Amino acid sequence: MEILAPETAYDLCTGRLDGENVSYGKKRLAEIRSIFRDRHAADSGDGDTVVYEVGMHAEVPEGTCGGLFFGTSIIHPGMVGDEYYMTKGHFHARRETAEYYFGISGSGILLLMSEDGKCSAHRMEKGALCYIGGHIAHRLVNTGDDDLVVGACWLSDAGHDYGSIAESGFPVRVVCRDGKPTLIPGADAL
Ligand code: F6R
Ligand code: MN
């Protein structure tokens, strides 16, 4: 029997994934304008701007029971109006499935929301480990000047439910006030 080389490389400093079964996707402003509160700023921004990227190692097809996915989210620094760049956010389609997030670099906030709309905000930075329980929606917000890089591991049959977030949003937003990240209430657009 021979000793095999790793099929996939994972850079512990940058979260970069390379090799077999790795794919990367970009989320551009044009696809997510509606998540930001300042509609005018969102509509007038360049739709080609990449707000965040997700690298993912998927050894098994999406939906496989008992499998795991491993990913790196890179939320770029930037703002739409006074609101920091963030991910769309989602519940898992299989609501009971949990996920680990861990901070690799940069600084930001992880917003969590229960199904009855209760929200909490958690600092996300290098070395932070967050267990996101089932039935909890999650969104990453980059409040720093550099990329916010966050690793994740979740079940391959968790799926994503973006619809509920698109309809009712998170009840808390992260905006810049006096140069500092500040939580304000309100899911609605201006
Ligand atoms: C997977 C997961 C992350 C996010 C990524 C992008 O369950 O939570 O890999 O998918 O951070 O965020 P969304 O999916 O909300 O656009
Ligand atoms: Mn998730």
Side-chain angles (χ1 to χ4, degrees), residues 96-102 110 112 122 124 128-134 136:
E96 73 276 18
T97 59
E99 179 164 9
Y100 273 115
Y101 270 14
F102 51 97
L110 170 63
L112 300 180
H122 308 258
M124 188 43 87
L129 179 69
C130 260
Y131 177 79
I132 302 166
I136 300 287

Side-chain angles (χ1 to χ4, degrees), residues 90 92 99 101 138 154 160:
H90 58 269
H92 290 159
E99 179 164 9
Y101 270 14
H138 35 291
W154 67 104
H160 294 93

Side-chain angles (χ1 to χ4, degrees), residues 79 82-84 174-182:
M79 311 194 74
D82 61 1
E83 191 170 23
Y84 297 97
V174 188
V175 297
C176 182
R177 291 277 188 275
D178 301 322
K180 283 190 301 216
T182 306

Side-chain angles (χ1 to χ4, degrees), residues 27 32 52-56 71-75 87-90 92 99 101 132 138-140 150 152-155 158-160 162:
K27 195 64 80 183
I32 54 166
Y52 61 96
E53 303 178 47
V54 182
M56 179 174 165
T72 301
S73 300
I74 303 148
I75 298 90
T87 59
K88 276 174 84 170
H90 58 269
H92 290 159
E99 179 164 9
Y101 270 14
I132 302 166
H138 35 291
R139 163 177 279 170
L140 287 165
V150 175
C153 186
W154 67 104
L155 289 160
H160 294 93
Y162 294 104

Side-chain angles (χ1 to χ4, degrees), residues 20-62:
E20 298 255 317
N21 304 310
V22 170
S23 60
Y24 270 84
K26 292 183 192 325
K27 195 64 80 183
R28 296 177 194 278
L29 180 60
E31 297 168 66
I32 54 166
R33 290 189 204 275
S34 62
I35 67 173
F36 294 98
R37 69 194 277 266
D38 187 337
R39 277 301 171 75
H40 177 72
D43 289 344
S44 52
D46 180 355
D48 280 341
T49 305
V50 176
V51 177
Y52 61 96
E53 303 178 47
V54 182
M56 179 174 165
H57 178 254
E59 186 84 28
V60 293
E62 172 111 45

Side-chain angles (χ1 to χ4, degrees), residues 91 95 112-120 134-137 164-165 168-172 187:
F91 285 101
R95 282 289 201 278
L112 300 180
M113 180 179 71
S114 63
E115 285 172 308
D116 58 3
K118 289 201 184 66
C119 213
S120 58
H135 301 267
I136 300 287
S164 318
I165 301 299
S168 47
F170 280 71
V172 167

